[in-house]
Amino acid sequence: MSLAAEAFVSQIAAAEPWPENATLYQPLKEDQILLSDSASSLAVQTFLRMCGLPVLVSCRANAEYMSPSGKVPFIHVGNQVVSELGLIVQFTKAKGHSLSDGLDDVQRAEMKAYMELVNNMLLTAELYIQWCDDYTATEISRPRYSSPYSWPLNHILAYQKQWEVRRKMNAIGWSGKSLEQVYEDVSQCCQALSQRLGTQPYFFNKQPTELDALVFGHLFTILTTQLTNDELAEKVKSYTNLLSFCHRIEQAYFKEHDRESQSGSSRHSKGSLP
Amino acid sequence: MAEPMELLCWGGDWDLPSVHTDSLIVLTYAKFSGAKLAVKSIDWTWRTITASVPQLHYEGSTVTEPTQILNFLRKQRFNADYELTAKQGADTMAYIALLEEKLRPALLHTFWVDTENYANLTRPWFTSHSPFPLNFFVPGRQASLALSRILLTKAESPLLNITEVEGKIYSEAKECLNLLSHRLGNFHFFFGDTPTSLDAFVFGHIAPLIKAPLPSGQLQKHLNQLDNLCQFCNAILKNYFNASAEKRTDCSPTTIHDPVDANLQKLTQLVNKESNLIEKMDDNLRSSPQHRPHRHESKPLALAGERNSTPHS
């Protein structure tokens, strides 16, 4: 959105309270959604729960195409459609709900820096593993991504998405990396997060912020998703304070949700944390 | 270590040891950690197109990319981050990610995609520093790489045009600079009184922006307003690259042209701006019937009033 349109949206957003029928759209949970999308979606859901805002999760096969920016998840609130965690945080702030008001400027700078670290390293690594690693792409990503469609559309869409992601990896210089280097980067990122978290309950001591939501979304999804091998999950598991952080947030915000929807574990997701 | 380590990088200008961000990062870190590097500039050699710069050669092995080179130097016991706590080390990684995501696209745009800067500054410089016949190819190749990087990482589906992405990347870059300024505060370096790798990264990114004589530099103007970052940059230049830093006492980009040329430059800039404005008005007129947000943006308050009065479904 252009800057003027963004300012306009936040002004309109401020005018109405949060409705009861706000909906979050994501790809189909059992068959279609991939690791990176699932992580982003969980991050947004966690953030909204932390703010205490009710939202219904609706799974659609064409969620990616409905989204204004092409990224999932996106939320439909009243008359607006907003996608991506950054814009959703801005949107909820315009409505008067914010988790990071108590932070001073330096802390806010740190929070933004860590969110960029997660996006830069973890999300890019997830995309790399899904689409640039041939084995994972053939076994998991392509079949899942194109499962709602029939032949020949499924092949075309899957290869198109793969080509797009590989182009992006090329542009940022990740195409020269081997899988081991990517795992090493994930490990370093987790180490940085673990050191920043230390023994605190949340990243900025007592109050959860959008950084906590983002980190939880990614780490929980990595830990509970079955890929071709478990190496990614092992890298995360080696940091015990991150594991207990995930447990804590899961207990605090997802207790009822856990029992309802994740009891029937699918082939892809292993359900709750081990 | 019998033979010194050899670093290949782009040459320097505008008071900087190198005009290339990544090369500057490595050079600065080497100064901070006390590593002796034999600096070889690739200007006027065929390496301008064959080598990926910066490149460190040591005892037969080659390392590229600033982060890899810094890791290599640390393994050779040239460590500027020795005194950092674990948390500060984590902060370093986070801030470097912030720089890469938010500031780098805008820097690439300022130097390589913005037509005025590219035509008047970047391309002539790189052309004059490359051998014949490479001077025809090198700048163009870098520019297209920069443009594709910006579009692929920042342009989502409604923003397929570079002009719309511009607004977004510049506002993100300004925010990033503000955040850095807040973090630096009144300190000399980001972690107290000794420089670390984060200082090297920040210096590498903002020094070309401060020192280059850019014809159109809105980001540069914004950066000049952040005094502590300017002082940080000048202090590093003075203390570690002491050669010609004494010439500059303030951080505004000085043009060395005499007054007549300066007036002519200003006139051409004004004419360019006018023609840009006329083009934009033309575009707006052509697209206004279908482009609803423009109509809305002129009267947001009235619409807000309307919505409040209608019952919500």
Side-chain angles (χ1 to χ4, degrees):
Chain A
M1 283 200 279
S2 70
L3 290 171
E6 262 182 45
F8 166 69
V9 162
S10 20
Q11 247 185 335
I12 286 293
E16 307 166 336
W18 191 269
E20 284 301 313
N21 62 347
T23 331
L24 177 137
Y25 289 94
Q26 64 172 34
L28 303 173
K29 194 162 173 167
E30 300 294 311
D31 301 315
Q32 191 194 17
I33 199 168
L34 290 174
L35 176 60
S36 49
D37 295 335
S38 182
S40 312
S41 175
L42 187 58
V44 172
Q45 285 175 47
T46 317
F47 174 71
L48 291 172
R49 275 175 191 248
M50 284 176 178
C51 290
L53 298 169
V55 70
L56 302 159
V57 178
S58 168
C59 298
R60 300 291 172 86
N62 59 344
E64 203 179 353
Y65 301 107
M66 285 201 280
S67 156
S69 70
K71 300 234 167 103
V72 286
F74 65 96
I75 57 174
H76 176 214
V77 176
N79 281 323
Q80 282 107 47
V81 181
V82 191
S83 68
E84 289 188 70
L85 185 64
L87 291 174
I88 293 176
V89 169
Q90 261 183 353
F91 181 75
T92 49
K93 190 162 173 182
K95 288 227 182 263
H97 305 271
S98 171
L99 293 178
S100 52
D101 275 340
L103 302 177
D104 63 22
D105 283 331
V106 174
Q107 284 178 317
R108 192 163 292 138
E110 268 189 44
M111 182 181 80
K112 289 209 191 280
Y114 275 97
M115 284 178 75
E116 284 311 318
L117 179 68
V118 172
N119 276 331
N120 210 358
M121 286 266 186
L122 278 184
L123 185 61
T124 319
E126 286 167 8
L127 282 173
Y128 182 94
I129 292 171
Q130 281 170 213
W131 294 104
C132 297
D133 174 34
D134 285 322
Y135 187 55
T136 315
T138 319
E139 291 290 313
I140 298 183
S141 314
R142 284 205 299 264
R144 280 185 72 93
Y145 183 75
S146 55
S147 54
Y149 309 108
S150 60
W151 192 92
L153 190 58
N154 53 359
H155 281 295
I156 297 173
L157 287 178
Y159 277 105
Q160 187 185 42
K161 177 82 175 170
Q162 181 173 319
W163 181 74
E164 224 179 87
V165 174
R166 287 196 181 184
R167 249 181 81 194
K168 185 173 163 184
M169 293 293 140
N170 216 355
I172 56 177
W174 274 59
S175 55
K177 291 199 186 189
S178 69
L179 204 53
E180 279 68 39
Q181 278 177 314
V182 173
Y183 286 138
E184 188 52 42
D185 283 340
V186 170
S187 189
Q188 277 189 1
C189 180
C190 292
Q191 190 183 27
L193 290 171
S194 170
Q195 281 166 351
R196 177 65 179 87
L197 183 61
T199 50
Q200 296 171 331
Y202 299 109
F203 277 95
F204 289 96
N205 213 2
K206 302 278 189 321
Q207 293 295 106
T209 56
E210 46 262 31
L211 175 60
D212 301 282
L214 185 62
V215 173
F216 172 73
H218 279 275
L219 293 182
F220 188 81
T221 323
I222 290 178
L223 289 168
T224 55
T225 308
Q226 186 113 28
L227 288 175
T228 51
N229 61 4
D230 276 335
E231 215 175 311
L232 196 57
E234 292 301 319
K235 295 276 175 204
V236 177
K237 275 190 208 160
S238 57
Y239 298 99
T240 47
N241 64 345
L242 291 180
L243 272 182
S244 53
F245 170 77
C246 287
H247 268 298
R248 200 178 312 124
I249 294 197
E250 189 194 352
Q251 291 300 311
Y253 294 100
F254 284 93
K255 270 200 297 255
E256 315 82 37
H257 189 80
D258 252 3
R259 271 180 232 123
E260 283 164 32
S261 56
Q262 294 193 11
S263 51
S265 57
S266 67
R267 187 173 54 90
H268 192 64
S269 161
K270 282 189 263 175
S272 53
L273 280 175
Chain B
M1 282 167 267
E3 48 179 79
M5 299 180 266
E6 199 180 70
L7 180 73
L8 291 175
C9 61
W10 280 101
D13 200 356
W14 320 317
D15 290 346
L16 297 171
S18 174
V19 303
H20 185 224
T21 294
D22 289 340
S23 315
L24 205 50
I25 292 173
V26 177
L27 284 170
T28 321
Y29 185 79
K31 289 275 180 196
F32 287 162
S33 60
K36 296 272 178 297
L37 294 179
V39 177
K40 250 169 87 166
S41 121
I42 61 170
D43 298 2
W44 298 293
T45 67
W46 279 82
R47 294 222 187 92
T48 46
I49 209 159
T50 54
S52 81
V53 174
Q55 229 179 58
L56 188 71
H57 291 290
Y58 181 64
E59 285 173 358
S61 63
T62 306
V63 193
T64 55
E65 297 271 316
T67 24
Q68 312 264 16
I69 295 181
L70 259 56
N71 283 340
F72 182 80
L73 286 174
R74 276 193 210 107
K75 286 196 195 110
Q76 303 289 330
R77 295 194 303 274
F78 291 113
N79 194 351
D81 298 337
Y82 193 64
E83 287 156 11
L84 292 182
T85 65
K87 183 170 168 304
Q88 286 172 328
D91 282 349
T92 305
M93 270 186 78
Y95 277 103
I96 292 176
L98 186 72
L99 282 173
E100 285 290 321
E101 270 294 307
K102 303 268 180 182
L103 193 53
R104 172 92 59 157
L107 284 180
L108 285 176
H109 186 276
T110 306
F111 280 97
W112 293 101
V113 182
D114 182 286
T115 32
E116 264 181 59
N117 291 337
Y118 179 61
N120 295 330
L121 184 71
T122 324
R123 196 172 63 188
W125 194 93
F126 279 89
T127 311
S128 59
H129 283 78
S130 311
F132 180 85
L134 293 178
N135 51 355
F136 293 117
F137 303 120
V138 167
R141 191 162 150 266
Q142 302 255 24
S144 60
L145 280 175
L147 181 63
S148 67
R149 182 173 165 158
I150 295 175
L151 282 178
L152 283 175
T153 52
K154 290 289 166 185
E156 320 294 346
S157 45
L159 299 172
L160 288 172
N161 201 348
I162 185 71
T163 45
E164 288 159 357
V165 186
E166 272 173 29
K168 183 172 157 201
I169 57 179
Y170 277 111
S171 66
E172 282 188 351
K174 284 176 189 162
E175 200 194 310
C176 176
L177 289 173
N178 291 342
L179 289 175
L180 285 174
S181 181
H182 281 136
R183 177 67 181 80
L184 183 59
N186 289 325
F187 295 107
H188 288 295
F189 298 107
F190 276 92
F191 294 115
D193 284 327
T194 48
T196 57
S197 49
L198 179 59
D199 302 289
F201 267 90
V202 174
F203 178 73
H205 280 88
I206 64 177
L209 191 58
I210 291 182
K211 293 290 177 184
L214 295 167
S216 89
Q218 45 159 325
L219 198 57
Q220 196 178 43
K221 287 196 195 77
H222 185 91
L223 181 54
N224 285 331
Q225 290 166 1
L226 299 169
D227 287 329
N228 58 352
L229 287 178
C230 289
Q231 279 170 14
F232 165 78
C233 185
N234 286 330
I236 291 185
L237 273 177
K238 203 166 79 155
N239 296 329
Y240 293 95
F241 300 104
N242 44 17
S244 41
E246 288 101 36
K247 277 193 227 154
R248 303 254 183 276
T249 47
D250 61 329
C251 47
S252 55
T254 55
T255 50
I256 334 169
H257 309 298
D258 52 327
V260 176
D261 276 344
N263 283 338
L264 185 59
Q265 255 201 348
K266 281 190 194 137
L267 254 175
T268 30
Q269 279 180 24
L270 272 172
V271 171
N272 282 338
K273 279 195 189 125
E274 285 253 341
S275 57
N276 282 342
L277 267 172
I278 292 176
E279 275 181 28
K280 277 196 189 125
M281 272 166 45
D282 206 20
D283 278 341
N284 281 348
L285 280 173
R286 280 183 209 284
S287 54
S288 59
Q290 309 107 11
H291 207 67
R292 297 192 71 209
H294 280 306
R295 256 192 277 147
H296 279 182
E297 87 187 60
S298 53
K299 26 186 184 167
L301 293 171
L303 275 171
E306 274 174 33
R307 284 191 199 282
N308 271 332
S309 56
T310 57
H312 298 298
S313 52

